[in-house]
Amino acid sequence: MIIDCHIHCGLGNSELLTESGITYKNTVETMIQLVKIYKQKGIQALRDGGDVSGVGIILRAISKDSGLIYRTPIRAFYKKGLYGDFLGEHLENTKDGIRKMDALMKETPDFIKIILTGIMSFNEYGVSGAIGLSQGECTAIIDHAHQSGLSVMVHANSPKGIMMALTSGADTIEHGYGIDDDCLHAMRESNVVWVPTLAPFANIAKCSDENPMKKYRKVSERYFRQHQQQVKKANAMGVNIALGSDSGATLVAHGQGTLDELGYLLDCGLTEEKLESIGKRVIDF
């Protein structure tokens, strides 16, 4: 059973976009096609990372009769003024975050998604976007989700951001670029699941000369190789690792991106059996 624990169904679908925004008709047709694509690739379950449109609600409804298991946070939460505007709603402070989470819960998300840090810089290797929430804000928001019976996936890069997510009670760490040994030990001790998303940088690193992303191949190769070594180390330590492709991101195609990620993780020494086991745990959170 192939389970992808991190996709974005609302990204990577240019046919969704019109001059007036996203149309319901086009969205339904596109989500039906996505289900077909994933099923044709032999992928049985998906966990979304959300987007500002909240299109995951439509895919969730379609998937119920398709045999494809699908979970969505609908929209993610990020700190106002920082990275994440295309993925969901901004938060100004703890009170605002709890209020907006309560409003989102009326749409019955399967879990909560928090964007704690930015992405890794393509221009300066190793530099991550700013941490958006304070330790107190992050802890309070995660606690509120847990009290409401929902798990929390946290987008976090850099040692400081990852450690804050871990100590705040995150259930899964998404991406985790720049992760260090202290974070790996904390992750193992807390039994948190890491979803390392190797495919985005790996696929950019091997793109063709005709691709506009070719100017980022060298830095992407560095990110991929460093991340690959940390995944190998984490696996040897007994850290829980799940497959998550970040499909919908640049050069990570829906369906094929999942198989790309599977290949990268197998190269790191993980097994399909272990990935299935951890994936089921994540999907069932």
Side-chain angles (χ1 to χ4, degrees), residues 3-283:
I3 301 169
D4 194 326
C5 295
H6 191 127
I7 72 157
H8 291 277
C9 71
L11 305 181
N13 305 300
S14 59
E15 61 269 38
L16 283 177
L17 303 178
T18 67
E19 291 183 2
S20 60
I22 295 176
T23 66
Y24 184 82
K25 179 181 178 181
N26 286 347
T27 300
V28 171
E29 292 171 350
T30 302
M31 293 302 104
I32 290 172
Q33 289 303 310
L34 277 187
V35 169
K36 291 180 180 178
I37 288 169
Y38 278 104
K39 292 189 72 176
Q40 287 170 356
K41 295 290 186 179
I43 298 150
Q44 292 94 353
L46 301 171
R47 175 173 171 258
D48 206 276
D51 69 276
V52 69
S53 74
V55 69
I57 293 177
I58 296 173
L59 181 55
R60 184 171 62 184
I62 291 169
S63 69
K64 289 179 180 179
D65 296 322
S66 72
L68 180 71
I69 299 167
Y70 176 76
R71 305 283 186 264
T72 179
I74 304 175
R75 291 179 293 279
F77 293 115
Y78 69 98
K79 191 62 177 281
K80 185 178 181 179
L82 297 180
Y83 173 82
D85 60 342
F86 66 105
L87 295 174
E89 297 181 76
H90 72 257
L91 309 179
E92 296 189 14
N93 49 47
T94 300
K95 183 178 180 181
D96 183 52
I98 289 174
R99 179 179 63 81
K100 288 179 177 174
M101 191 188 303
D102 286 342
L104 178 65
M105 286 179 186
K106 295 177 181 178
E107 300 178 61
T108 64
D110 298 304
F111 56 91
I112 296 297
K113 164 79 176 288
I114 294 173
I115 300 171
L116 183 58
T117 74
I119 59 173
M120 304 305 292
S121 171
F122 282 95
N123 298 312
E124 189 174 354
Y125 175 78
V127 175
S128 173
I131 296 174
L133 303 174
S134 69
Q135 180 83 59
E137 289 173 327
C138 192
T139 300
I141 291 170
I142 291 176
D143 283 349
H144 188 68
H146 286 167
Q147 290 164 11
S148 301
L150 297 177
S151 64
V152 182
M153 73 186 304
V154 180
H155 165 127
N157 295 307
S158 79
K160 185 177 180 181
I162 296 163
M163 190 61 79
M164 181 184 290
L166 290 169
T167 56
S168 297
D171 295 290
T172 68
I173 302 295
E174 313 296 313
H175 314 302
Y177 280 83
I179 196 167
D180 63 11
D181 288 356
D182 287 343
C183 291
L184 289 178
H185 285 289
M187 197 175 285
R188 181 184 63 188
E189 295 307 310
S190 60
N191 206 31
V192 168
V193 176
W194 181 23
V195 186
T197 63
L198 290 154
F201 283 120
N203 286 2
I204 292 172
K206 64 181 184 181
C207 73
S208 69
D209 288 340
E210 289 70 40
N211 195 292
M213 296 300 287
K214 69 178 183 178
K215 60 184 176 180
Y216 300 123
R217 285 187 301 204
K218 287 185 178 180
V219 70
S220 295
E221 176 75 17
R222 288 187 68 186
Y223 281 126
F224 171 56
R225 293 304 174 193
Q226 191 274 342
H227 213 46
Q228 187 180 50
Q229 290 304 312
Q230 293 301 89
V231 171
K232 290 179 180 179
K233 184 184 295 185
N235 184 46
M237 291 171 56
V239 172
N240 297 309
I241 298 171
L243 186 160
S245 64
D246 210 7
S247 287
T250 302
L251 298 188
V252 188
H254 287 289
Q256 183 57 47
T258 303
L259 301 185
D260 292 342
E261 184 73 16
L262 175 60
Y264 298 138
L265 290 172
L266 294 178
D267 287 345
C268 288
L270 284 94
T271 65
E272 292 189 39
E273 291 77 16
K274 183 174 181 180
L275 291 170
E276 179 180 344
S277 175
I278 301 301
K280 285 180 176 177
R281 173 186 158 187
V282 171
I283 288 290

